[in-house]
Amino acid sequence: MKTLSQDAFAAAERYLILNARLIDRARFANRFHGGPAGAVTHAVRAYQNPDGGFGHAIEPDLRGTGSQPQGAEVALWALDDVGAFDEAIVLAACAWLEANSTAEGGVPWVLPSVLGDERGPWWQPQGEPPPAALNPTAPIAGLLHSHHVKHPWLESATEFCWRAIADLDEVGAYDAMCVLAFLERVPDSDRARSEFDRLGPSLRASAALDPDEPGHTHSPLDLAPTPESLARGLFSDEEIGRHLDRLVETQGADGGWVPNFPMWTPLVAHEWGGFLTRSTLATLAAYGRIA
């Protein structure tokens, strides 16, 4: 079993200091040094628009200033990470989500307004008009449930998620993470467990079990970033262990970890590198793999 040494941890921290965005440095400081949650809250607020949504590259591949559904998800994960679901930030975001949802009750993967923004080439609206999507409606709804947020949007979004999940037979990796984020947090745990059991084989199949599989893949640790994750039971101790070992092995000479998807403009390499380095350290810590 491989663990990240103290020197390797220090190198990762140095990478973050030199390269990561403020929001990722503040999350790291909160997780590993008892830094204030308020620093993360203030960083998140800087990405929020007057309409309540989030833009300004809080999702690094969406470079535009305008609000997008994915921006709301990234913002809520950051607040959840430090246990600081600021009411003003969150309720404004809920109002934006309600205003930008489809008749189905959820928000699209990306809004057509993205076409006027600089962005990664994969950010294209799906359909005309684009339909509601589990990615990112499901994780947003799950996070709101876990913090007991009360807003009319959450009811319609939850019903959309249940319908969309019930229609699934096979789940791709991105949708798998979204479905799990919802099922882990929604109050109806019996219904969630039933859907998890039904979709279990497909959820497992969405992860690359070989740690060395090339390309843009998702590992079991993406689905189960902590031992308490709902998806942890989909994978054996040996499978999880191999991927944890591989994380330790793949730390770069500069102390960081690099994404396995295309870096379409130079700036995002370190923005994603900072995001990924912080999240990798959090996963290694959760599984007891930091010395």
Side-chain angles (χ1 to χ4, degrees):
M1 183 178 78
K2 298 184 177 181
T3 59
L4 198 72
S5 70
Q6 292 182 13
D7 286 345
F9 180 86
E13 182 168 12
R14 183 171 187 269
Y15 174 85
L16 291 168
I17 292 169
L18 291 174
N19 300 288
R21 302 177 298 173
L22 175 60
I23 188 172
D24 295 310
R25 298 199 306 274
R27 291 175 70 178
F28 169 83
N30 175 265
R31 172 65 178 81
F32 291 99
H33 296 307
V40 176
T41 303
H42 287 306
V44 168
R45 188 177 288 115
Y47 292 100
Q48 191 166 33
N49 285 313
D51 62 11
F54 293 86
H56 308 279
I58 191 170
E59 203 286 358
D61 291 325
L62 290 168
R63 306 305 302 178
T65 61
S67 301
Q68 288 291 338
Q70 298 285 340
E73 182 192 351
V74 175
L76 294 182
W77 278 119
L79 297 177
D80 173 76
D81 190 35
V82 297
F85 243 54
D86 181 273
E87 184 177 18
I89 294 175
V90 172
L91 292 182
C94 287
W96 183 86
L97 290 162
E98 185 175 42
N100 289 275
S101 287
T102 72
E104 302 153 289
V107 287
W109 182 63
V110 69
L111 300 176
S113 56
V114 78
L115 295 175
D117 295 333
E118 296 294 337
R119 66 197 188 281
W122 48 87
W123 285 111
Q124 299 291 339
Q126 306 294 309
E128 181 57 47
L134 284 169
N135 181 5
T137 305
I140 293 173
L143 288 164
L144 294 174
H145 277 302
S146 68
H147 290 271
H148 310 290
V149 173
K150 303 297 182 186
H151 191 277
W153 179 80
L154 184 55
E155 182 177 352
S156 60
T158 299
E159 287 306 311
F160 162 74
C161 291
W162 282 128
R163 292 194 306 272
I165 290 170
D167 287 340
L168 292 174
D169 292 316
E170 296 184 2
V171 193
Y174 276 109
D175 276 351
M177 292 186 291
C178 294
V179 167
L180 287 165
F182 177 78
L183 296 180
E184 286 177 341
R185 294 166 176 82
V186 70
D188 192 344
S189 57
D190 290 340
R191 187 176 181 182
R193 186 73 210 190
S194 177
E195 289 291 7
F196 174 77
D197 290 342
R198 181 180 69 84
L199 292 171
S202 182
L203 291 168
R204 174 179 163 82
S206 72
L209 298 182
D210 180 359
D212 296 314
E213 184 169 328
H216 181 31
T217 62
H218 291 85
S219 85
L221 296 173
D222 292 317
L223 275 63
T226 75
E228 295 75 33
S229 300
L230 181 62
R232 173 62 183 86
L234 296 173
F235 308 102
S236 69
D237 291 346
E238 180 184 2
E239 288 166 338
I240 292 291
R242 284 202 307 269
H243 283 270
L244 289 167
D245 287 345
R246 193 67 179 132
L247 282 185
V248 174
E249 294 167 355
T250 53
Q251 184 181 20
D254 59 3
W257 280 265
V258 299
N260 63 3
F261 51 91
M263 298 294 99
W264 59 280
T265 191
L267 178 64
V268 301
H270 283 304
E271 290 193 350
W272 277 122
F275 181 94
L276 183 61
T277 296
R278 178 208 54 78
S279 65
T280 298
L281 292 173
T283 295
L284 290 172
Y287 281 95
R289 291 298 193 98
I290 296 180

